Amino acid sequence: MPSPQAELACSLFTQLIFQRQESPVDTSFEKLAPELLSMILQCVDSPLDLHHLISASPSCFRAYLNSPKLILSSIIKNAFESENIQHAVAILRVPTTNGQTSSFLDKYFNSPTSFDFP
C-alpha cells in the first residue's frame, strides 16, 4: 500500500495532467520540487511511461538520476503482482550446478520470504 505522501504525489500528478488538457496554464514539471518529482516517478506504471517522462522533462530526468534504484523498483512493483516478482527474483538466484538445485528449490518453496524484492 502506497504511503500517504505517495498518494498525494500521484493525486497532484493526475491534477497536473488534467489541468494541462483543460487550460493553457503552465503546469510544467520544471517548477516542482525534486522530492515531489521523485514521488511522482515512483507512481508510474511502466518503464515505457518512465522513459517518456524523463525524456520529456529535464527536471524529471534529474529526479530519476538522484534515485534510479528506488524509482525503478517502485515501477516494477507497480507493473507486476508481488508473487510474480518473487518468482522472477528466485529464478535469477537458481544455482547453475545440479547438486545445489534441489536444496535451492526446497528453500524457495518452504520459505516464501527468502526472496523478497529489494
Side-chain angles (χ1 to χ4, degrees), residues 59-80:
S59 292
C60 285
F61 183 63
R62 284 190 299 274
Y64 168 77
L65 289 178
N66 286 333
S67 53
K69 289 181 183 180
L70 174 66
I71 292 169
L72 287 173
S73 66
S74 295
I75 290 173
I76 290 170
K77 287 178 184 178
N78 295 342
F80 299 105

